[in-house]
Amino acid sequence: MSRSFLKYCISILVAISLTACYTTRRVGLIQERDNLPSYEQGLYREYKLQKNDEIMMRVVTSDAATAKLLSSSSNYGGNMNNSDSYRIFEDGTVDLPFLSSVKIEGLTLQEAEQHIDTLLRDYVEDAFVKLSLSTGTFCVIGDAHRGYYSIYKERLTIYQALALCGGINETADFSHVKILRKTPQGTKIAEFDIRSKSIIDSKYYYIYPNDVIYLDVSKRRFWGVSSYTSFIGLISSSLSLLVSIWNLFK
Protein backbone atom coordinates (compact mmCIF):
# COMPACT_ATOMS: atom_id res chain seq x y z
CA MET A 1 0.00 0.00 0.00
CA SER A 2 1.67 3.26 -1.13
CA ARG A 3 1.88 6.46 0.83
CA SER A 4 -0.04 8.28 -1.90
CA PHE A 5 -2.91 5.83 -1.53
CA LEU A 6 -2.89 6.35 2.24
CA LYS A 7 -3.03 10.11 1.78
CA TYR A 8 -5.88 9.64 -0.68
CA CYS A 9 -7.85 7.57 1.84
CA ILE A 10 -7.24 10.11 4.60
CA SER A 11 -8.46 12.92 2.34
CA ILE A 12 -11.65 11.03 1.60
CA LEU A 13 -12.30 10.36 5.29
CA VAL A 14 -11.72 13.99 6.21
CA ALA A 15 -14.08 15.12 3.45
CA ILE A 16 -16.77 12.71 4.61
CA SER A 17 -16.34 13.82 8.20
CA LEU A 18 -16.63 17.48 7.30
CA THR A 19 -19.82 16.90 5.33
CA ALA A 20 -21.24 14.86 8.20
CA CYS A 21 -21.35 17.71 10.72
CA TYR A 22 -24.76 19.18 11.55
CA THR A 23 -23.86 22.83 11.10
CA THR A 24 -26.08 25.85 11.77
CA ARG A 25 -26.64 26.22 8.02
CA ARG A 26 -28.12 22.71 7.91
CA VAL A 27 -30.28 22.72 11.03
CA GLY A 28 -30.68 26.40 11.93
CA LEU A 29 -34.08 28.10 11.71
CA ILE A 30 -35.09 31.57 10.44
CA GLN A 31 -32.13 31.85 8.08
CA GLU A 32 -31.72 34.46 5.36
CA ARG A 33 -29.64 33.00 2.54
CA ASP A 34 -29.87 33.33 -1.22
CA ASN A 35 -29.82 29.58 -1.78
CA LEU A 36 -32.86 28.97 0.45
CA PRO A 37 -36.40 29.02 -1.01
CA SER A 38 -38.40 32.23 -0.71
CA TYR A 39 -42.11 31.89 0.11
CA GLU A 40 -44.83 34.45 -0.55
CA GLN A 41 -46.64 36.08 2.33
CA GLY A 42 -50.30 35.12 2.76
CA LEU A 43 -53.27 36.04 4.91
CA TYR A 44 -54.28 33.78 7.79
CA ARG A 45 -57.39 31.80 6.92
CA GLU A 46 -59.64 30.83 9.79
CA TYR A 47 -60.35 27.14 10.18
CA LYS A 48 -63.65 25.98 8.71
CA LEU A 49 -65.58 23.25 10.46
CA GLN A 50 -65.53 19.80 8.87
CA LYS A 51 -67.35 16.49 9.21
CA ASN A 52 -66.59 14.59 12.44
CA ASP A 53 -65.32 17.71 14.21
CA GLU A 54 -66.63 18.04 17.74
CA ILE A 55 -67.60 21.43 19.14
CA MET A 56 -68.16 22.65 22.67
CA MET A 57 -71.12 24.99 23.09
CA ARG A 58 -71.51 27.34 26.03
CA VAL A 59 -74.87 29.08 26.39
CA VAL A 60 -75.31 31.98 28.78
CA THR A 61 -78.84 33.09 29.75
CA SER A 62 -80.60 34.77 32.66
CA ASP A 63 -83.69 32.53 32.29
CA ALA A 64 -83.40 30.01 35.15
CA ALA A 65 -85.90 27.53 33.66
CA THR A 66 -84.14 27.50 30.31
CA ALA A 67 -80.77 27.32 32.02
CA LYS A 68 -81.94 24.20 33.85
CA LEU A 69 -82.90 22.56 30.56
CA LEU A 70 -79.65 23.49 28.89
CA SER A 71 -77.40 22.49 31.74
CA SER A 72 -76.52 19.08 33.11
CA SER A 73 -75.88 20.71 36.49
CA SER A 74 -78.57 21.50 39.03
CA ASN A 75 -76.55 24.36 40.55
CA TYR A 76 -77.79 27.44 38.72
CA GLY A 77 -78.96 30.90 39.54
CA GLY A 78 -78.93 34.18 37.68
CA ASN A 79 -76.58 33.41 34.79
CA MET A 80 -76.05 29.84 33.69
CA ASN A 81 -73.30 28.23 31.65
CA ASN A 82 -73.68 24.98 29.76
CA SER A 83 -70.87 23.07 28.05
CA ASP A 84 -71.36 19.90 26.01
CA SER A 85 -69.61 18.28 23.07
CA TYR A 86 -71.47 17.82 19.79
CA ARG A 87 -70.21 15.97 16.71
CA ILE A 88 -70.78 17.22 13.17
CA PHE A 89 -72.46 14.44 11.17
CA GLU A 90 -71.53 13.26 7.69
CA ASP A 91 -74.18 15.54 6.19
CA GLY A 92 -72.50 18.55 7.78
CA THR A 93 -75.17 19.14 10.42
CA VAL A 94 -75.15 19.04 14.20
CA ASP A 95 -77.92 18.46 16.76
CA LEU A 96 -78.06 20.97 19.60
CA PRO A 97 -80.48 21.68 22.47
CA PHE A 98 -83.75 23.03 21.02
CA LEU A 99 -82.22 22.71 17.55
CA SER A 100 -81.65 19.79 15.21
CA SER A 101 -79.88 19.40 11.87
CA VAL A 102 -78.14 22.74 12.03
CA LYS A 103 -75.82 23.04 9.04
CA ILE A 104 -72.42 24.34 10.19
CA GLU A 105 -69.93 22.47 8.01
CA GLY A 106 -67.82 24.94 6.05
CA LEU A 107 -68.37 27.75 8.58
CA THR A 108 -65.76 29.27 10.84
CA LEU A 109 -66.39 29.09 14.58
CA GLN A 110 -67.45 32.73 14.62
CA GLU A 111 -69.85 32.23 11.72
CA ALA A 112 -71.29 29.13 13.40
CA GLU A 113 -71.73 31.06 16.66
CA GLN A 114 -73.70 33.78 14.91
CA HIS A 115 -75.83 31.24 13.04
CA ILE A 116 -76.69 29.19 16.15
CA ASP A 117 -77.21 32.33 18.23
CA THR A 118 -79.79 33.60 15.72
CA LEU A 119 -81.66 30.27 15.70
CA LEU A 120 -81.57 29.84 19.47
CA ARG A 121 -82.94 33.30 20.19
CA ASP A 122 -86.28 32.21 18.75
CA TYR A 123 -86.54 30.18 21.97
CA VAL A 124 -84.31 32.12 24.38
CA GLU A 125 -84.30 35.87 23.82
CA ASP A 126 -81.13 36.69 25.74
CA ALA A 127 -79.16 33.58 24.77
CA PHE A 128 -75.50 34.12 24.08
CA VAL A 129 -73.62 31.30 22.35
CA LYS A 130 -69.89 30.62 22.44
CA LEU A 131 -68.29 27.73 20.54
CA SER A 132 -64.91 26.07 20.72
CA LEU A 133 -63.39 23.09 18.93
CA SER A 134 -62.91 20.14 21.27
CA THR A 135 -61.08 18.06 18.63
CA GLY A 136 -58.48 20.71 17.82
CA THR A 137 -55.33 18.60 17.60
CA PHE A 138 -52.40 18.08 15.24
CA CYS A 139 -50.09 15.10 14.76
CA VAL A 140 -46.31 14.87 14.39
CA ILE A 141 -44.67 11.85 12.76
CA GLY A 142 -41.22 11.04 11.41
CA ASP A 143 -37.86 12.14 12.81
CA ALA A 144 -39.19 14.05 15.84
CA HIS A 145 -41.04 13.40 19.09
CA ARG A 146 -44.10 11.79 17.57
CA GLY A 147 -47.61 12.06 18.94
CA TYR A 148 -50.88 14.02 19.05
CA TYR A 149 -50.87 17.53 20.51
CA SER A 150 -53.60 20.03 21.31
CA ILE A 151 -53.93 23.33 19.49
CA TYR A 152 -54.13 25.42 22.63
CA LYS A 153 -54.49 28.79 20.91
CA GLU A 154 -55.70 30.38 17.71
CA ARG A 155 -53.04 30.89 15.05
CA LEU A 156 -50.62 28.28 16.34
CA THR A 157 -47.40 28.59 14.33
CA ILE A 158 -45.21 25.79 12.98
CA TYR A 159 -42.46 26.81 15.43
CA GLN A 160 -44.85 26.62 18.41
CA ALA A 161 -46.21 23.28 17.20
CA LEU A 162 -42.74 21.77 16.95
CA ALA A 163 -41.82 23.21 20.35
CA LEU A 164 -44.83 21.37 21.82
CA CYS A 165 -43.47 18.06 20.54
CA GLY A 166 -39.96 18.75 21.83
CA GLY A 167 -38.41 20.12 18.65
CA ILE A 168 -36.93 18.55 15.53
CA ASN A 169 -34.18 15.95 15.71
CA GLU A 170 -30.93 17.13 14.13
CA THR A 171 -31.04 14.03 11.94
CA ALA A 172 -34.28 15.19 10.28
CA ASP A 173 -34.40 16.65 6.78
CA PHE A 174 -35.01 20.34 7.49
CA SER A 175 -35.28 21.16 3.79
CA HIS A 176 -38.31 18.94 3.10
CA VAL A 177 -40.82 19.31 5.92
CA LYS A 178 -44.31 18.20 4.93
CA ILE A 179 -47.77 19.10 6.24
CA LEU A 180 -50.67 16.84 5.34
CA ARG A 181 -53.85 18.92 5.54
CA LYS A 182 -57.44 17.81 5.14
CA THR A 183 -59.50 20.05 2.86
CA PRO A 184 -62.97 19.80 1.25
CA GLN A 185 -61.14 18.80 -1.95
CA GLY A 186 -59.24 16.02 -0.18
CA THR A 187 -55.93 15.73 1.66
CA LYS A 188 -53.23 18.06 0.34
CA ILE A 189 -49.49 17.92 1.01
CA ALA A 190 -47.53 21.14 1.53
CA GLU A 191 -43.74 20.83 1.43
CA PHE A 192 -41.28 23.53 2.49
CA ASP A 193 -37.81 24.29 3.85
CA ILE A 194 -38.29 25.18 7.51
CA ARG A 195 -34.89 26.89 7.67
CA SER A 196 -36.06 29.79 5.51
CA LYS A 197 -37.15 32.94 7.33
CA SER A 198 -39.71 33.62 4.59
CA ILE A 199 -42.07 30.92 5.89
CA ILE A 200 -43.13 33.42 8.56
CA ASP A 201 -46.67 34.57 7.67
CA SER A 202 -46.66 32.34 4.57
CA LYS A 203 -49.21 29.61 3.90
CA TYR A 204 -46.92 27.15 5.70
CA TYR A 205 -46.67 29.18 8.90
CA TYR A 206 -49.89 28.28 10.73
CA ILE A 207 -51.06 24.88 11.95
CA TYR A 208 -54.73 23.90 11.65
CA PRO A 209 -56.78 21.19 13.36
CA ASN A 210 -56.14 17.70 11.99
CA ASP A 211 -52.82 18.69 10.38
CA VAL A 212 -50.12 16.01 10.18
CA ILE A 213 -46.53 17.30 10.31
CA TYR A 214 -44.09 14.84 8.73
CA LEU A 215 -40.33 15.10 9.16
CA ASP A 216 -38.32 12.81 6.94
CA VAL A 217 -34.95 11.38 7.95
CA SER A 218 -31.94 13.16 6.47
CA LYS A 219 -29.78 11.20 4.04
CA ARG A 220 -26.78 12.25 6.17
CA ARG A 221 -28.10 10.49 9.25
CA PHE A 222 -25.65 7.59 8.95
CA TRP A 223 -22.62 9.88 9.01
CA GLY A 224 -24.07 12.74 10.98
CA VAL A 225 -22.48 14.00 14.18
CA SER A 226 -24.09 16.54 16.46
CA SER A 227 -21.06 17.93 18.32
CA TYR A 228 -17.35 18.59 17.92
CA THR A 229 -16.63 15.81 20.39
CA SER A 230 -18.41 13.34 18.13
CA PHE A 231 -16.67 14.86 15.12
CA ILE A 232 -13.22 14.41 16.65
CA GLY A 233 -14.16 10.88 17.68
CA LEU A 234 -15.19 10.07 14.12
CA ILE A 235 -11.91 11.42 12.73
CA SER A 236 -9.84 9.58 15.34
CA SER A 237 -11.61 6.28 14.75
CA SER A 238 -11.23 6.61 10.98
CA LEU A 239 -7.53 7.41 11.22
CA SER A 240 -6.96 4.55 13.65
CA LEU A 241 -8.63 2.18 11.22
CA LEU A 242 -6.45 3.40 8.35
CA VAL A 243 -3.28 3.07 10.40
CA SER A 244 -4.25 -0.46 11.39
CA ILE A 245 -4.84 -1.39 7.75
CA TRP A 246 -1.56 0.25 6.77
CA ASN A 247 0.38 -1.73 9.37
CA LEU A 248 -1.38 -4.92 8.35
CA PHE A 249 -0.39 -4.66 4.70
CA LYS A 250 2.90 -2.88 5.19
Side-chain angles (χ1 to χ4, degrees):
M1 184 182 292
S2 64
R3 291 184 177 275
S4 60
F5 180 74
L6 179 61
K7 292 180 180 179
Y8 177 73
C9 292
I10 292 175
S11 300
I12 292 177
L13 285 175
V14 171
I16 292 175
S17 300
L18 289 174
T19 58
C21 292
Y22 292 119
T23 63
T24 302
R25 292 172 65 88
R26 287 182 179 167
V27 300
L29 303 179
I30 319 180
Q31 296 186 47
E32 294 182 275
R33 288 194 280 120
D34 292 337
N35 59 342
L36 288 179
S38 179
Y39 303 109
E40 295 182 0
Q41 303 293 288
L43 296 175
Y44 172 76
R45 296 182 180 180
E46 292 189 36
Y47 177 74
K48 294 187 177 182
L49 295 169
Q50 302 180 24
K51 299 179 181 70
N52 297 316
D53 279 346
E54 290 189 8
I55 59 172
M56 299 285 291
M57 184 177 76
R58 186 166 66 94
V59 180
V60 180
T61 176
S62 60
D63 188 316
T66 303
K68 185 176 181 180
L69 290 173
L70 291 175
S71 178
S72 57
S73 171
S74 59
N75 297 322
Y76 63 88
N79 293 335
M80 190 65 207
N81 295 345
N82 172 58
S83 295
D84 283 302
S85 181
Y86 305 94
R87 181 176 292 274
I88 300 176
F89 301 130
E90 288 297 321
D91 62 357
T93 65
V94 63
D95 290 340
L96 302 168
F98 292 132
L99 305 171
S100 61
S101 300
V102 180
K103 179 77 172 181
I104 60 172
E105 181 191 10
L107 301 180
T108 66
L109 281 173
Q110 185 176 8
E111 291 170 343
E113 285 174 355
Q114 295 172 351
H115 181 48
I116 295 171
D117 193 85
T118 300
L119 297 175
L120 196 58
R121 288 197 178 189
D122 289 339
Y123 304 93
V124 187
E125 291 184 357
D126 65 343
F128 177 75
V129 177
K130 191 66 178 176
L131 301 179
S132 61
L133 192 64
S134 62
T135 51
T137 61
F138 67 93
C139 175
V140 179
I141 59 176
D143 200 7
H145 297 277
R146 288 158 282 192
Y148 282 90
Y149 303 90
S150 296
I151 297 179
Y152 66 93
K153 56 173 283 186
E154 189 178 5
R155 302 195 182 194
L156 185 76
T157 70
I158 181 67
Y159 300 133
Q160 292 167 332
L162 292 173
L164 282 176
C165 76
I168 311 175
N169 295 336
E170 290 183 334
T171 52
D173 187 351
F174 283 60
S175 62
H176 294 92
V177 176
K178 298 180 179 68
I179 294 180
L180 285 69
R181 180 166 295 160
K182 184 179 177 183
T183 70
Q185 295 75 37
T187 301
K188 294 187 177 181
I189 300 176
E191 184 175 320
F192 59 96
D193 190 327
I194 197 171
R195 299 171 301 173
S196 175
K197 181 182 178 181
S198 64
I199 70 167
I200 297 176
D201 292 327
S202 72
K203 64 179 181 180
Y204 309 107
Y205 191 50
Y206 296 103
I207 299 300
Y208 292 86
N210 306 314
D211 276 358
V212 177
I213 303 173
Y214 175 64
L215 297 145
D216 202 356
V217 178
S218 172
K219 295 179 181 178
R220 297 184 176 90
R221 181 172 184 175
F222 178 79
W223 292 103
V225 292
S226 58
S227 66
Y228 283 108
T229 302
S230 302
F231 171 71
I232 293 172
L234 178 63
I235 291 291
S236 301
S237 300
S238 302
L239 290 176
S240 297
L241 177 61
L242 275 177
V243 171
S244 298
I245 296 174
W246 168 261
N247 292 329
L248 182 63
F249 291 96
K250 190 175 179 179

